[in-house]
Amino acid sequence: MADFELTSRENHPENTIIEVGGAKIGDGNLCIIAGPCSIESEEQIMRIAKAVKDAGAQMLRGGAFKPRTSPYTFQGLEDDGISYLVKAGHEVGLPVVSEITDASQLRLFDDVDIIQVGAKNMQNFGLLHVLGKTGKPILLKRGFGATYEEVLSSAEHIMAAGNDRVILCERGIRTFETYTRFTFDVSSIPSLKSLTHLPIIADPSHPAGRYELIEPLSLAAVAAGADGLIIEVHDRPDEALCDASQALKPDKFASIVEKAKGVKAAI
Amino acid sequence: MADFELTSRENHPENTIIEVGGAKIGDGNLCIIAGPCSIESEEQIMRIAKAVKDAGAQMLRGGAFKPRTSPYTFQGLEDDGISYLVKAGHEVGLPVVSEITDASQLRLFDDVDIIQVGAKNMQNFGLLHVLGKTGKPILLKRGFGATYEEVLSSAEHIMAAGNDRVILCERGIRTFETYTRFTFDVSSIPSLKSLTHLPIIADPSHPAGRYELIEPLSLAAVAAGADGLIIEVHDRPDEALCDASQALKPDKFASIVEKAKGVKAAI
Amino acid sequence: MADFELTSRENHPENTIIEVGGAKIGDGNLCIIAGPCSIESEEQIMRIAKAVKDAGAQMLRGGAFKPRTSPYTFQGLEDDGISYLVKAGHEVGLPVVSEITDASQLRLFDDVDIIQVGAKNMQNFGLLHVLGKTGKPILLKRGFGATYEEVLSSAEHIMAAGNDRVILCERGIRTFETYTRFTFDVSSIPSLKSLTHLPIIADPSHPAGRYELIEPLSLAAVAAGADGLIIEVHDRPDEALCDASQALKPDKFASIVEKAKGVKAAI
Amino acid sequence: MADFELTSRENHPENTIIEVGGAKIGDGNLCIIAGPCSIESEEQIMRIAKAVKDAGAQMLRGGAFKPRTSPYTFQGLEDDGISYLVKAGHEVGLPVVSEITDASQLRLFDDVDIIQVGAKNMQNFGLLHVLGKTGKPILLKRGFGATYEEVLSSAEHIMAAGNDRVILCERGIRTFETYTRFTFDVSSIPSLKSLTHLPIIADPSHPAGRYELIEPLSLAAVAAGADGLIIEVHDRPDEALCDASQALKPDKFASIVEKAKGVKAAI
């Protein structure tokens, strides 16, 4: 496993646990991260932060830099978005997670607790190296065309650069089935857990593409051994500036949190 | 939904429940089907039948006609295999499931409780029409290159021929990821449940390809709403004539049954 | 290569040539097969037979048994269709190719020169064994979820049953790209030619899904070394009972034949 | 086509032609780009530059920044590599193409004629925006998990930032077939040509993964309408520091150039 010197379970049998604020990812607990796809205003993120906190979330997510396929759609509030997110996290007492899409944005992430690398940048090695020089936990999403070995290799890039706080995230792959937006590869969770000591969480929102599938995918991920979930929640889906069809309302989210705990206890 | 006149939930909002022997598939219960990939001898199937019954299975499976990719590998015990299976089922008091691969075999299936159509024959419409003329419940596996619509269309072929007792089964699809044998598409379970009133079970053995993944995939399927599981169990995996790497021992199977019940209760 | 005893080039370095009527498949020539997706009437197949003959086709194709995904669409003229096709072939002096979908149809294929096994039946081993007992050339289409090894294994099933006249056919695979109906895997042509001595032709119509792509895919297949093409041609696409969007008019087909000869000469 | 304002053929019916040095990409001619996967030394690139020039190449390629999956393999000669490439290009009189993997490298590309964006960075929008501010032609490779729409959207990002000199490149996608390294999607060439006015070339080396497939894939691409080819050539494949199995020797490359011209003439 020379190529996976730092990430392989063979070399590091103990599970890695990443602590952020009061939350832990990678131990026996289930870490639930929730929030809107995009931060749309200070008021919006504050409102949703309270709602997800009340519903049982342990971390708050929100996008300020959106790697949108088209250059003509909403690209995020950028600097202001990060400020609003950090403020909302402080206000409700939740650590915050946000996606970086370019190394030039790094200075803005000082108060962000976990920096996310999205699926489209999973093999943006320049960005991975810069993040490897920080002490921040990195949430690394699997690319939708990437194998397990490639996700691990990208984690290895971050760790080889000096940062051993990496969290993997399954978010679905491209297949011929088009009923769902992506095919949620639930097998990746136990497979990666046998290959690596790093924690693995699941994003059920992007593969689902439709909100009614988020509960079954969330529970399936937990049943398969996921260390956590990252779920898109919006209290006013009709107004959401992106991914409206997969936005979950807070009450539905609360119900998932309850059931997920039950499933976690059963396995 | 003219193309899905008989299978669509829109036209038939109530869940279909299929009763076989004492077991029910499609209601709130979880139906666990287990047994060896292939029936290898009278003694082998009898031994495994007892083991899976003790471990909590509600039906016994075993293959007598094996649609093997190569013409030079073990193709099954054929007529004798079916006899041994039926005898073992009677002995331990479990209904039996076995795969048909050609319409000419039908007369041998009189005492088989559920007739399985494998993934490779999902669009063998001649066979589907013949099965549509029987009164037997049909376990229809999704082809590894088939969409949800195509599975439903194949079920529609059976129902249009006169047989409304069809059970769907997710068993993994072909994708670029090769760590697992197939990619288990857990989303198919809630998706198909929203599209059709037919029961849906999961086969975690074939996509896993390796026995240690069968538990997490089984629990994920149940968490996602599956009406049952069909699992390959062998008490002497080293002697198995096919699919040895994914054969589960009875004690491990018993543990999955217990955990699956817990997950079912939690959701 | 024990699994590929009969199909492998390693064991049989010489190219197999299959002669049918005056046409040869598998030598240096290019064999062009053309005709409608479905035989719709005696008059229609006669009309198209003349048109494709004039345009340069060396064989006539036409479907009488259509393995349609939905049970409610046109399933073919069956017995009558075969009669009309054979009659048209005799009339214009072209050997004929038609698809069998069930072994029970075999007696109808006495005057059919090449029997086609469609993609959906590539692993219908019962059918392959029956065809292996005939002396007829078999046109075996690659399943849209099948690997090169699996196509060869299915050919091996036919040959192991006693029939060594097998022609392989690439017709596209399922991938995430939905702009085309299937992804035409042009690499399969040189890859299979290095693995086996059997001839390989290409069906550009099904992967294209739209008529304007048929010319570039045809020429690409020939450039990659295909021994022939099988193309859907209809003189009145607007009236076609199936696959209308990919039906090519005879004049366009004639132009492809000319260009294909030029490409063949260039390589 | 609002999302494809600048890239769509609907809005811009005329083919875009990109002139670089004496070479043209996008008109009726065929532009052949060749060179090693990686620049390994000044002597190596000079040697290969001469060889590909003699064999008929119109541009020289060579990688100095290699986005390798593993952090522990050869990552390229970086600054020195670019210098050697530029020098070799001047020496033999060929424009040069090289891949950029991070915006911070841009200042080194002043004398590089075409800047390549690799498949892994196709949706690295930060990089695309920076390249959109330059006046350099950009060779944009299709990601191996990207649809036609997504390639066009990435081109739209570059053009919306101000640079209308974009060349698209098909290099294979991820599918279930593992005999080839990637599945070369030859349909993308005519499909993209109907969707956009931008030139499209093909990279047969990466999908082939084995040198003997490069000729048939090259000729297939040209037959399908490609405006050019970019081929990995190495005079000493055994010494190649990356992608040795797909490295083509100069004499074999020369033969492809000749045949490609013949195919181009035939279509």
Side-chain angles (χ1 to χ4, degrees), chain B residues 69 72 124 145 150 156 174, chain C residues 72 124 145 150 156-157 174:
Chain B
T69 300
Y72 306 125
N124 179 344
E150 289 170 334
E156 190 82 22
R174 281 261 161 87
Chain C
Y72 306 125
N124 179 345
E150 288 169 335
E156 191 82 22
H157 272 275
R174 282 263 160 86

Side-chain angles (χ1 to χ4, degrees), chain B residues 140-185:
Chain B
L140 178 67
K141 289 200 165 184
R142 178 186 184 189
F144 44 75
T147 62
Y148 303 161
E149 274 204 16
E150 289 170 334
V151 189
L152 285 184
S153 291
S154 287
E156 190 82 22
H157 272 275
I158 298 171
M159 294 181 77
N163 184 350
D164 59 3
R165 304 175 78 198
V166 181
I167 302 153
L168 306 179
C169 181
E170 164 66 27
R171 47 77 74 215
I173 59 172
R174 281 261 161 87
T175 73
F176 63 82
E177 179 59 66
T178 56
Y179 184 86
T180 49
R181 193 169 165 196
F182 294 93
T183 295
F184 182 66
D185 179 14

Side-chain angles (χ1 to χ4, degrees), chain A residues 5-79:
Chain A
E5 175 68 27
L6 302 170
T7 47
S8 78
R9 183 173 287 284
E10 204 177 322
N11 293 345
H12 306 268
E14 294 291 303
N15 282 327
T16 285
I17 300 173
I18 292 173
E19 301 204 38
V20 185
K24 278 184 188 182
I25 305 183
D27 58 358
N29 296 319
L30 190 65
C31 181
I32 313 271
I33 307 171
C37 172
S38 295
I39 302 152
E40 297 164 7
S41 70
E42 184 169 354
E43 194 265 333
Q44 174 246 25
I45 187 67
M46 193 66 76
R47 220 172 57 220
I48 297 179
K50 286 174 185 162
V52 300
K53 164 92 176 186
D54 288 348
Q58 290 153 270
M59 288 199 207
L60 176 65
R61 62 148 286 155
F65 296 94
K66 304 298 303 175
R68 302 300 295 277
T69 300
S70 167
Y72 306 124
T73 48
F74 178 58
Q75 311 280 312
L77 294 186
E78 306 190 348
D79 310 37

Side-chain angles (χ1 to χ4, degrees), chain D residues 3 99 116 164 185 191:
Chain D
D3 278 354
E99 180 173 354
Q116 177 181 316
D164 58 5
D185 179 14
S191 300

Side-chain angles (χ1 to χ4, degrees), chain A residues 171-226:
Chain A
R171 47 78 75 214
I173 58 173
R174 281 263 161 86
T175 73
F176 63 82
E177 179 59 68
T178 55
Y179 184 85
T180 49
R181 193 168 164 198
F182 295 92
T183 295
F184 183 65
D185 179 14
V186 73
S187 308
S188 71
I189 297 167
S191 299
L192 284 168
K193 286 193 99 60
S194 77
L195 293 170
T196 185
H197 55 93
L198 296 172
I200 296 140
I201 69 169
D203 166 1
S205 303
H206 284 86
R210 34 180 95 198
Y211 73 89
E212 68 271 23
L213 291 179
I214 296 174
E215 177 175 310
L217 295 192
S218 295
L219 302 182
V222 174

